[in-house]
Amino acid sequence: MTASFLLEARGIARRDTRSDTVLLEPTDFALAPGERVSVTGASGAGKSVLLRALALLDPLDSGHLVWHGQPVERRAIPRYRRHVAYLRQRPALFDGTVEDNLRYPYSLHAYHDVRFDRVQAVRLAEAAGRASSFLDKRANDLSGGEAQLTALIRVLQLSPEVLLLDEPTASLDPDAARAVEALVTAWFEAGQGARASVWVSHDPAQAARVSTRRLIMQAGRLSDSKQVQVTR
C-alpha cells in the first residue's frame, strides 16, 4: 500500500463488547482516486459496520486508517470527516426548508471557512431532476426520496473526496433511487478522477450500476475484489 491511495484500512476490526461477538474481522482495504466500490452481502454480514468504521463513527478495536498516506490521529478526525463523508439509509432532517437544512453544516466549526452557495445547491438539485423551487420545500413535506436527496446534497455541496453510502436507496422507489444514483454519478464525474466512493447495497443490479469494483461481505469478512463493467 502506498500514498497513492486516498484511504486505507489496515487491520481494522470491531467487536460487540456486550456479547463478545465479532462484527468485523481484521480487514485491509484500499481506495484509490477514481474508484467506485460496491459492497454487497446478506443482512447482518457487517456491511454497515465496515462503512461506519471507515467513517470513524465507531471506535476501532484494532487497526487504523490511513488518509493520503498518513495515519489518522484522534485530533485529525474532524478534518478527516470533512473529506470522507458518510450518508446513512434514513436521513436526519430538522423542521424548516430544504435550504435551511443545506445551510446547517456551515454553522459548524469544521466549516467556518466556507459559506453556503445557493447557486451550487440549485445545480446539485437540478442534477437530481429537481427545480430550484425544491430548496423552498418544507422538510416535513418531503417524500422519502426527496429527504434522501436533501441529505445527499447537504453532503455533496461540501465537496468531499470520498463518499461512503450506506444503503441510501434501500427504502426508496425506483425513480427516487435512480435520482440518487444520478446525483452521485454527477458528483463523481465532476471530480475528474480525484474522487472515490464506497456504496453498500443489498441489490446486486444496483451494485453493478454504481461501481467499477465489487466486494462481498460475509460474516464480518470482506472478499477479494472483482472487476466489473459499469452499466449506465
Side-chain angles (χ1 to χ4, degrees), residues 99-116:
E99 182 170 331
D100 291 335
N101 279 271
L102 298 183
R103 285 181 176 274
Y104 171 71
Y106 298 94
S107 68
L108 303 177
H109 177 72
Y111 300 100
H112 70 279
D113 58 328
V114 289
R115 297 291 181 270
F116 174 72

Side-chain angles (χ1 to χ4, degrees), residues 7 13 15 19 26 54 57 64 93 103 138 160 163 210 223 227:
L7 172 61
R15 300 182 72 89
S19 64
L54 293 177
L57 293 175
H64 65 280
L93 303 180
R103 285 181 176 274
R138 303 289 302 184
L163 195 58
V210 302
S223 74
Q227 300 298 322

Side-chain angles (χ1 to χ4, degrees), residues 50-51 56 62 85 88 105 109 161 166 169 176 183 226:
L50 171 66
L51 218 62
L56 286 177
S62 62
R88 64 183 187 176
H109 177 72
E161 290 183 77
D166 194 356
T169 65
L183 187 51
K226 177 181 179 182

Side-chain angles (χ1 to χ4, degrees), residues 77-152:
I77 290 177
R79 181 171 176 270
Y80 172 81
R81 289 178 178 159
R82 178 168 175 168
H83 297 286
V84 180
Y86 173 86
L87 186 72
R88 64 183 187 176
Q89 181 178 337
R90 294 179 177 84
L93 303 180
F94 59 81
D95 189 25
T97 66
V98 168
E99 182 170 331
D100 291 335
N101 279 271
L102 298 183
R103 285 181 176 274
Y104 171 71
Y106 298 94
S107 68
L108 303 177
H109 177 72
Y111 300 100
H112 70 279
D113 58 328
V114 289
R115 297 291 181 270
F116 174 72
D117 183 346
R118 183 181 169 91
V119 172
Q120 179 195 31
V122 168
R123 188 179 304 117
L124 288 168
E126 290 175 343
R130 299 300 188 272
S132 60
S133 58
F134 177 67
L135 272 65
D136 301 319
K137 294 190 68 170
R138 303 289 302 184
N140 288 342
D141 296 331
L142 300 177
S143 67
E146 289 174 330
Q148 190 62 284
L149 286 174
T150 300
L152 182 54

Side-chain angles (χ1 to χ4, degrees), residues 12-14 24 49 52-54 56 58-65:
I12 62 172
R14 291 274 291 122
L24 179 65
V49 175
R52 289 182 61 85
L54 293 177
L56 286 177
D58 298 324
L60 300 176
D61 291 304
S62 62
H64 65 280
L65 297 181

